[in-house]
Amino acid sequence: MTTAARRQPQREKLLRIGEVVRRLAEEFPDISISKIRYLEDEGLMAPRRTQGGYRLFSEDDLERLKTILRMQREEFLPLRVIKDELDAPGHKDRKRRRPAALGTEDQTVTLDELRERAGISLELAKELEEFGLLSPRGSGGDKRYPESDTDVALTCARLARYGVAPRHLRTFRTAAGREASLLGQLVAPSLRARNNDRRTQGLRELQQLAELSSELSSLLFWRDLRDLAAQ
């Protein structure tokens, strides 16, 4: 290779929309060309165009599209909320984690690690714990927090910027506990079974119930907000 060739930057490979669909099909079986076009029309995607009008997607575009589809599938967020989240300053520095699969143990962190990752003060961390929004295990110097509590703390900190104090968020914690308790009662016999196959089936059903419950809660929540906005 010549010196000139080494100095020349490698040209980024761009993908046509059909190739994007093929790349995503395994993880998102329902993906289609029309859905990608719809996301573009809604302002969530901005692929480049050839002179002939064909869409060209970079690897960054592909990653953004994966993020959008995961947020729809796992968090049931409306497109406008997803767009605001993706366009928010510092979004790329915030890594969204999928909840640990049911039946597996969540990793834990210390209070200092949680505070550093969420960017919160000791005072706020204590308030969140006081109102049940953080769920530590152990006590004293052995106290540790589920890794998912980092995301809880980060979200609570962002709400605090709007004047939403931890005491106001106790309602969310109570509602979540009631929903989880209801779903747990529905599959309790399977989860307590000694037969591994039956227990595995119970965990699978609980996962499916959780996804449907989360979707219903989101739909009802946004319907009520639309009613408030229309007043």
Side-chain angles (χ1 to χ4, degrees):
M1 182 180 294
T2 66
T3 302
R6 285 196 298 269
R7 290 177 179 173
Q8 184 176 2
Q10 186 175 4
R11 188 173 182 179
E12 182 182 18
K13 181 181 178 181
L14 299 177
L15 308 173
R16 293 284 186 93
I17 194 169
E19 177 62 23
V20 171
V21 171
R22 285 190 289 273
R23 292 269 296 268
L24 297 175
E26 183 176 354
E27 183 177 355
F28 308 99
D30 296 333
I31 192 63
S32 64
I33 290 176
S34 61
K35 181 166 186 176
I36 296 175
R37 288 173 176 167
Y38 174 71
L39 292 175
E40 182 184 357
D41 291 341
E42 292 295 309
L44 281 91
M45 300 293 301
R48 307 175 202 180
R49 296 271 187 160
T50 66
Q51 291 184 346
Y54 292 104
R55 295 171 177 83
L56 294 176
F57 295 81
S58 66
E59 289 295 330
D60 285 344
D61 291 330
L62 186 64
E63 288 304 312
R64 181 181 175 92
L65 185 51
K66 287 180 182 179
T67 300
I68 292 168
L69 296 173
R70 286 168 184 156
M71 292 172 76
Q72 280 189 303
R73 180 184 64 192
E74 297 161 13
E75 303 179 48
F76 310 103
L77 297 176
L79 292 180
R80 180 171 295 181
V81 176
I82 293 176
K83 184 177 185 303
D84 290 344
E85 174 77 10
L86 293 178
D87 294 342
H91 167 76
K92 292 184 178 180
D93 297 329
R94 296 194 300 268
K95 295 183 178 180
R96 307 183 71 91
R97 288 182 295 273
R98 293 189 64 177
L102 297 179
T104 62
E105 188 173 354
D106 198 0
Q107 298 295 316
T108 62
V109 296
T110 65
L111 177 58
D112 287 341
E113 289 172 333
L114 182 146
R115 289 178 51 219
E116 181 179 358
R117 295 185 190 184
I120 64 172
S121 65
L122 179 60
E123 180 182 3
L124 179 56
K126 289 181 176 179
E127 282 191 81
L128 294 175
E129 186 173 333
E130 178 184 354
F131 290 103
L133 293 152
L134 299 181
S135 55
R137 303 164 188 173
S139 59
D142 296 329
K143 187 182 293 185
R144 297 186 68 86
Y145 299 75
E147 193 172 28
S148 55
D149 273 8
T150 301
D151 293 323
V152 172
L154 176 60
T155 301
C156 290
R158 293 168 64 189
L159 285 167
R161 298 171 192 164
Y162 292 88
V164 184
R167 66 178 183 277
H168 300 137
L169 300 174
R170 183 166 45 186
T171 301
F172 293 87
R173 179 65 187 91
T174 302
R178 288 175 178 171
E179 287 185 33
S181 179
L182 172 61
L183 300 186
Q185 291 175 22
L186 295 175
V187 297
S190 296
L191 295 181
R192 294 170 183 163
R194 294 184 178 180
N195 182 283
N196 287 334
D197 291 340
R198 188 180 179 193
R199 175 171 169 76
T200 299
Q201 179 61 29
L203 289 171
R204 187 178 300 114
E205 290 177 356
L206 183 58
Q207 180 76 37
Q208 293 169 345
L209 285 168
E211 291 172 358
L212 290 171
S213 175
S214 179
E215 182 174 11
L216 177 59
S217 295
S218 179
L219 291 170
L220 294 175
F221 176 74
W222 285 102
R223 185 189 66 186
D224 289 348
L225 287 184
R226 284 193 295 269
D227 290 342
L228 285 173
Q231 291 180 2

